[in-house]
Amino acid sequence: MYVYVGSFTTTKRKARGKGISVHHVDDASGAWSLVETFETIPNPGYVALDRKQRFLFASHGDGDSVSAYAIDPQTHKLQFLNQQPSHGDNGPHLMVDPSDQYVICANGPGIVVLPINKDGSLSPATDAVVPPGKEGPYKREQGLGAHPHQVLFDPSGRFLISPDKGVDATHIYRLDLGSGKLVPNDPPSVKSRYGAGPRHLAFHPSRPFAYQINELDSTVTTYQWDGVRGTLTPVHIIPTTPATFVGDNTGAEIAVAPSGLFVYVSNRGHDSIATFAVNVTDATLTPIGWEPTQGKKPRFFTLDPGGKMLYVANEDSDTIVAFRLDAKSGLPVPTGLIVHTGSPSCIAFSD
């Protein structure tokens, strides 16, 4: 198994990363070994693979482009292909659509759609939209209005979901594969609490529910998902930090275990992974533990392809820390494995 780690690189972000680092994971021990550090366009903060794992794409923090790379099938090293304008000024997230035809990127003020050529390079954008909405109360984080922070498809691949921390809403679109245009759903969005700052969302693997981490008020919202109409209905909301924590915190990442029994979120400030049990009746959440991430500012974490390990990227500590997920309790257990790499902000697995 190979891992691609995006990182922040610029002094503006007080970063220490060098680009996209490529690592090999030993099957027996789980140890990571560095294959290469590929110096790229600054701040490749989020990276994603196509479905066939032949190409890698990166969005760039504080940047106005999306870049494309070919993956050598033997060495797994990267070759730069090209870049295209993102029609924005900051790229916190991107993904490849289920048909492998387009890269969709949250570009700062909106969302851009870029066609993928046969060789993995990108063509100019077929669409760029800025969602409607009124900015939230926090001028530093929401003062510029719309700021989609993630783009993802629902389990059917029919709907594109985008939590927007700028206008306290989660937008829903359909992607027209023929034209590469985004078509707003009806209704086009669901509102969050005022000042919640929706950041990332994850779907339950087998039930019609989704869970959203809200960055600014450190909560998780449970939604019922109507996969026919493409609508999210909020049913439950819960804090991401323990009641005894009185410090500052922002929510960052969220994931659902493949079993559907547990939900994980990361806290920046409390610097923990919170574990929630999923109620078997109504899919609402109950907190069962908070595990320290052994570092500062866990901007990102992900599960390995088998769903047995959890890897945390501690952006301010320059570490990726590995945890084993206990099959019975669902809780993350430290393994002692720590990978040192500058300002990590995203981890993508290739198997």
Side-chain angles (χ1 to χ4, degrees):
M1 188 164 59
Y2 287 81
V3 186
Y4 298 86
V5 178
S7 63
F8 292 120
T9 63
T10 60
T11 55
K12 179 180 178 180
R13 287 181 174 259
K14 300 179 181 179
R16 296 153 301 280
K18 300 299 182 183
I20 301 172
S21 58
V22 184
H23 305 257
H24 175 257
V25 182
D26 183 78
D27 290 338
S29 68
W32 290 28
S33 57
L34 182 65
V35 175
E36 73 166 344
T37 299
F38 193 88
E39 296 192 15
T40 67
I41 301 164
N43 294 327
Y46 202 91
V47 296
L49 299 162
D50 72 315
R51 296 301 188 275
K52 296 180 181 178
Q53 302 182 350
R54 298 180 301 163
F55 309 111
L56 181 139
F57 305 95
S59 58
H60 299 271
D62 303 323
D64 58 3
S65 66
V66 178
S67 53
Y69 306 85
I71 299 174
D72 186 287
Q74 301 301 321
T75 66
H76 295 268
K77 292 183 177 181
L78 299 176
Q79 176 189 353
F80 177 74
L81 296 175
N82 76 331
Q83 66 184 94
Q84 290 288 350
S86 69
H87 299 273
D89 57 7
N90 183 24
H93 194 273
L94 85 169
M95 74 170 303
V96 178
D97 88 283
S99 71
D100 266 353
Q101 296 183 65
Y102 299 95
V103 168
I104 300 94
C105 177
N107 64 3
I111 303 168
V112 65
V113 181
L114 298 159
I116 303 172
N117 300 316
K118 289 184 178 181
D119 66 354
S121 63
L122 294 171
S123 287
T126 53
D127 204 4
V129 301
V130 176
K134 183 179 180 181
E135 66 270 16
Y138 299 105
K139 296 305 179 184
R140 179 178 176 182
E141 298 287 346
Q142 300 178 305
L144 297 178
H147 181 48
H149 208 285
Q150 183 196 32
V151 286
L152 79 158
F153 283 88
D154 78 304
S156 74
R158 297 172 56 221
F159 298 97
L160 179 76
I161 317 298
S162 184
D164 188 327
K165 82 172 193 177
V167 298
D168 293 325
T170 301
H171 310 292
I172 305 167
Y173 295 90
R174 293 175 183 264
L175 174 63
D176 186 312
L177 293 177
S179 65
K181 300 291 186 181
L182 293 172
V183 181
N185 191 48
D186 183 17
S189 63
V190 59
K191 286 293 292 181
S192 299
R193 279 180 175 174
Y194 187 54
R199 182 179 173 93
H200 285 183
L201 181 143
F203 283 93
H204 193 281
S206 59
R207 302 172 67 184
F209 293 93
Y211 303 93
Q212 182 171 270
I213 178 74
N214 301 307
E215 176 178 337
L216 300 180
D217 71 355
S218 297
T219 61
V220 177
T221 303
T222 300
Y223 289 100
Q224 188 163 17
W225 169 246
D226 186 328
V228 176
R229 297 178 58 235
T231 57
L232 291 164
T233 303
V235 296
H236 185 251
I237 192 165
I238 191 170
T240 66
T241 56
T244 55
F245 180 71
V246 296
D248 294 330
N249 187 78
T250 55
E253 189 57 272
I254 189 165
V256 185
S259 66
L261 297 177
F262 306 100
V263 170
Y264 304 97
V265 305
S266 63
N267 287 302
R268 296 175 294 184
H270 191 247
D271 291 336
S272 65
I273 297 295
T275 304
F276 298 88
V278 177
N279 187 292
V280 296
T281 303
D282 60 8
T284 57
L285 302 181
T286 300
I288 58 175
W290 288 267
E291 180 66 32
T293 62
Q294 302 183 32
K296 294 181 179 180
K297 199 177 179 181
R299 177 185 179 91
F300 180 87
F301 73 88
T302 189
L303 309 187
D304 76 321
K308 296 180 179 180
M309 298 286 293
L310 184 151
Y311 294 91
V312 180
N314 290 306
E315 181 185 349
D316 283 1
S317 299
D318 301 333
T319 58
I320 295 171
V321 180
F323 298 84
R324 176 182 58 83
L325 295 176
D326 185 274
K328 185 176 182 179
S329 70
L331 295 170
V333 180
T335 65
L337 174 63
I338 299 177
V339 179
H340 296 274
T341 187
S343 303
S345 56
C346 181
I347 305 166
F349 284 94
S350 170
D351 57 1

